[in-house]
Amino acid sequence: MASPKSFIWTRRIVLTLLLLFVLTPVYVMLSSSLKSLQDVQGSFKWIPSSFSYHPYIDIWKTVPLAHYFLNSLIVSVSATVFSVAVAIFAAYGVSRYRFPGRRIFTVTVLSTQMFPGILFLLPLYLIFVNIGNNTGIHLQGSRLGLIITYLTFSLPFSIWMLVGYFDSIPRDLDEAAKVDGCGPFGALFRVVVPAAVPGIVAVCVYAFMTAWGEVLFASVMTNSSTRTLAVGLREYATQNDVYWNQVMAASLVVSVPVVAGFLLLQRYLVAGLTAGAVK
């Protein structure tokens, strides 16, 4: 049965309004990044009278943006790799084996997502400081400490999502692999992991985005040499002025890796989220 015309037009209008709501801030950022500082500080114009590409050049000189970009890339990729590796083993064990406390473990892992991150800020800071004082391993102010922090954030949801995805993969595949001579690890890496690529990609995207845009812990757990992009953008605001055009340009540059990765992995992400949420 064809949908009524009133429903079709209502859907078009609603989607158009939502699209305008989403794209308007992006247009403001783009147009402001192509203006001089005097034009940005003046009255806002939807169509700039002149364009300048100098903000995209100055962002690398005003702030050590390339260094912050490298820090964010190292921290985000490392946290993603470790999170996915641990989540695969944990989710496979929960999905394929029945053991005492299995349900309690699953509920406990997921319940950690209910608490706001600021509750863990002071305890983690004190733990890292005490570890540094007692062992000489300085986690506070280092990339390793930030990687461990982001790992604790993304791991619970990653495990939960992969458990749902592994449950949707027939157990007969595991049994067939074991009949062919594979052990538990062989069945995992040769059969289950290839079949779970969309779910694993979805977990990778989630873990990377969680680490890439985090501000609260990065502002406390880093110093001038380990600062990430999310915190480094604040340095465009000085005591004397705020370089709004460079802030907008840097914000667009920072968002490129996430947007590009999302567009490239979109079909895997949608498939992984759907299969992981619905059994």
Side-chain angles (χ1 to χ4, degrees):
M1 181 182 297
S3 302
K5 289 186 177 181
S6 59
F7 173 77
I8 295 176
W9 280 104
T10 302
R11 183 176 60 181
R12 290 176 179 175
I13 293 173
V14 171
L15 291 177
T16 301
L17 292 176
L18 289 175
L19 185 64
L20 290 174
F21 180 78
V22 172
L23 293 182
T24 298
V26 177
Y27 173 77
V28 172
M29 290 177 59
L30 180 60
S31 62
S32 299
S33 67
L34 295 173
K35 297 178 182 179
S36 63
L37 183 60
Q38 292 76 13
D39 292 340
V40 175
Q41 292 175 338
S43 58
F44 178 75
K45 297 180 180 179
W46 287 100
I47 301 177
S49 56
S50 61
F51 295 93
S52 174
Y53 60 88
H54 290 290
Y56 286 92
I57 299 176
D58 296 337
I59 57 175
W60 308 99
K61 302 176 183 178
T62 306
V63 170
L65 193 66
H67 182 67
Y68 298 157
F69 194 96
L70 180 62
N71 288 336
S72 291
L73 191 62
I74 293 174
V75 170
S76 300
V77 171
S78 300
T80 300
V81 171
F82 287 119
S83 176
V84 172
V86 175
I88 287 175
F89 286 107
Y92 183 73
V94 173
S95 174
R96 290 301 192 260
Y97 298 98
R98 298 295 180 264
F99 53 88
R102 173 179 176 272
R103 182 170 181 80
I104 295 177
F105 171 79
T106 306
V107 173
T108 303
V109 166
L110 188 60
S111 64
T112 58
Q113 301 296 99
M114 297 188 303
F115 302 99
I118 195 171
L119 288 179
F120 305 101
L121 180 60
L122 182 58
L124 275 176
Y125 181 84
L126 294 177
I127 290 173
F128 287 171
V129 170
N130 289 329
I131 290 176
N133 294 334
N134 296 325
T135 64
I137 302 175
H138 298 286
L139 296 178
Q140 196 280 326
S142 67
R143 294 171 180 168
L144 179 59
L146 202 59
I147 291 170
I148 295 174
T149 302
Y150 292 158
L151 177 62
T152 61
F153 290 163
S154 59
L155 190 57
F157 184 78
S158 300
I159 294 174
W160 176 79
M161 189 160 61
L162 281 183
V163 167
Y165 200 94
F166 286 169
D167 286 344
S168 66
I169 299 175
R171 297 175 182 271
D172 295 340
L173 295 177
D174 300 52
E175 299 298 330
K178 293 178 181 179
V179 170
D180 291 338
C182 293
F185 290 103
L188 171 62
F189 289 108
R190 294 186 180 182
V191 177
V192 178
V193 169
V197 168
I200 295 174
V201 171
V203 170
C204 289
V205 173
Y206 166 77
F208 184 85
M209 293 181 64
T210 300
W212 186 262
E214 203 279 328
V215 177
L216 177 62
F217 283 81
S219 62
V220 177
M221 299 292 188
T222 59
N223 52 36
S224 58
S225 62
T226 59
R227 194 163 293 154
T228 59
L229 281 172
V231 180
L233 291 178
R234 299 184 306 184
E235 296 185 10
Y236 289 104
T238 63
Q239 294 181 350
N240 300 323
D241 213 339
V242 179
Y243 300 97
W244 289 111
N245 54 345
Q246 296 186 35
V247 171
M248 299 301 177
S251 299
L252 290 174
V253 171
V254 168
S255 62
V256 167
V258 177
V259 174
F262 179 82
L263 293 177
L264 291 174
L265 303 174
Q266 183 179 10
R267 62 189 185 96
Y268 294 105
L269 179 63
V270 174
L273 292 174
T274 303
V278 181
K279 297 182 183 179

